[in-house]
Amino acid sequence: MRFIVYGAGAIGGVLGARLAGAGKDVVLIARGAHLEAIRRDGLTVEAPSGRTVHPIKAAAHPAEIEWTQGDVALLAMKGMDTEAALRELAAVAPPETPIVCVQNGVANERAALRMFANVYGVCVMFPATHLEPGVVQAQSEPITGLLDLGRYPEGVDDTAEAIAAALRDATFESVPRPDIMRWKYTKLLMNLGNSIDALCGRDEDRSDVLARIREEGEAALAAAGITFTPWETDRERRGDLLQVKPINGQQRSGGSSWQSLARGTGSIEADYLNGEIVLLGRLHGVETPVNELARRLANQAARAGTPPGSFTPDRILELVH
């Protein structure tokens, strides 16, 4: 089994490095200065226990890879980039290739199923950071992350079991789950705060705006008839498995959306997080004004190059109509 990690940023980069470190065959697909640095110097992983460098094969495009029947594609890009990546994969990868969505949000799996028959969802609990070319950070040790997975839309098969076993070999917790989307919808509710994390930073008291966002999210899911794993069950699953520690004396600065603003990428994932709740609300008659405002402000900040922490939670609530 060879793992093709498409999107070698924070999640994909650490995931690929951990798999390679466990003796798995890995190819990364990256771009720009990050790809150049990986090809030139290897992929550097910074962790609380120190720094390692991994000489991993890296490609700029799926067409550069000679695909075989034993390949597994791990998607690790953000939701707004998924459909373009799938089109590129569909042009070169065998149609039976397992597509594993190691991504936040709940729209990636459906998009993949349009083009590939074997699609797997992963519930991603994985503190990682990517802010400079050729370098990714894994903030949790000894367990790097929780990556439970299952077939989409439901079920577990031999491929899911084999992928989970490989992930466990590579310092991850991974449980095959037939109802993986229930877990992913709980994670979606958690990720609704990503835009607030990016807009406001972590020094402000965000409890009021986060409560509003999640209340809207739960109401939209209920109206749509979508079930999610209860919060208590999710907390029990996570327990204290993730031990986030300083790297180079510094605490983790922010999550994936915060990193998008900090790196000035020009885009952010809010349409596939808050926007998912806005979509469900519009389809099922539920008002979601805080999620819509968070989605819109996050996109505006990304397009304008606004740095993270430029808003306050109170200001966001003042702007809600």
Side-chain angles (χ1 to χ4, degrees):
M1 181 179 285
R2 180 174 65 164
F3 294 98
I4 313 296
V5 183
Y6 198 166
I11 297 299
V14 174
L15 176 57
R18 289 288 186 256
L19 286 168
K24 313 303 180 185
D25 193 1
V26 176
V27 179
L28 304 177
I29 301 177
R31 60 188 179 186
H34 190 45
L35 172 63
E36 293 173 7
I38 294 170
R39 284 176 164 171
R40 183 183 64 247
D41 304 318
L43 178 63
T44 297
V45 179
E46 295 181 337
S49 60
R51 170 186 288 227
T52 55
V53 179
H54 301 263
I56 304 176
K57 298 174 186 175
H61 192 281
E64 296 180 9
I65 298 168
E66 186 174 342
W67 292 78
T68 68
Q69 298 295 324
D71 290 335
V72 174
L74 305 179
L75 303 190
M77 72 286 298
K78 291 185 170 63
M80 62 277 195
D81 298 321
T82 296
E83 292 202 16
L86 287 167
R87 287 192 293 271
E88 293 174 351
L89 284 172
V92 294
E96 64 274 15
T97 300
I99 305 297
V100 185
C101 299
V102 193
Q103 301 165 283
N104 288 329
V106 294
N108 303 293
E109 291 81 3
R110 180 180 173 87
L113 201 62
R114 293 181 184 275
M115 303 183 195
F116 292 89
N118 298 308
V119 177
Y120 301 80
V122 181
C123 185
V124 180
M125 303 282 187
F126 188 166
T129 299
H130 168 52
L131 294 176
E132 65 176 290
V135 180
V136 291
Q137 293 183 327
Q139 263 94 13
S140 176
E141 283 183 333
I143 294 172
T144 303
L146 276 61
L147 297 175
D148 293 350
L149 79 157
R151 278 191 71 94
Y152 178 79
E154 60 185 5
V156 168
D157 60 10
D158 290 345
T159 299
E161 296 281 3
I163 295 169
L167 292 171
R168 290 193 295 270
D169 288 344
T171 73
F172 294 94
E173 278 278 324
S174 183
V175 175
R177 297 188 182 278
D179 59 343
I180 191 61
M181 295 311 293
R182 290 180 68 243
W183 294 82
K184 291 206 68 168
Y185 273 104
T186 302
K187 183 65 187 328
L188 172 66
L189 291 173
M190 296 172 64
N191 287 140
L192 297 180
N194 285 19
S195 56
I196 304 304
D197 181 37
L199 292 166
C200 302
R202 294 188 169 182
D203 294 332
E204 298 276 353
D205 180 2
R206 301 165 297 156
S207 57
D208 288 347
V209 66
L210 291 178
R212 290 277 302 275
I213 277 181
R214 287 192 182 177
E215 286 170 7
E216 290 179 3
E218 292 191 29
L221 293 183
I226 296 171
T227 60
F228 61 93
T229 302
W231 292 108
E232 182 177 349
T233 304
D234 180 79
R235 283 193 295 270
E236 289 175 356
R237 167 68 184 110
R238 286 182 284 124
D240 60 356
L241 292 172
L242 296 180
Q243 298 289 326
V244 179
K245 304 169 185 176
I247 294 177
N248 302 324
Q250 295 184 338
Q251 298 289 345
R252 189 179 188 220
S253 48
S256 58
S257 295
W258 185 96
Q259 293 171 45
S260 292
L261 293 189
R263 287 167 50 213
T265 62
S267 63
I268 199 166
E269 202 173 14
D271 288 344
Y272 292 87
L273 302 176
N274 305 96
E276 186 72 28
I277 295 305
V278 172
L279 172 61
L280 290 174
R282 289 170 177 168
L283 288 172
H284 300 282
V286 176
E287 295 294 326
T288 58
V290 188
N291 277 278
E292 167 58 11
L293 180 64
R295 183 200 68 80
R296 187 157 41 85
L297 290 177
N299 277 294
Q300 289 173 355
R303 287 192 296 269
T306 304
S310 297
F311 285 80
T312 67
D314 288 343
R315 178 57 179 156
I316 290 174
L317 291 176
E318 288 173 4
L319 293 171
V320 175
H321 297 297

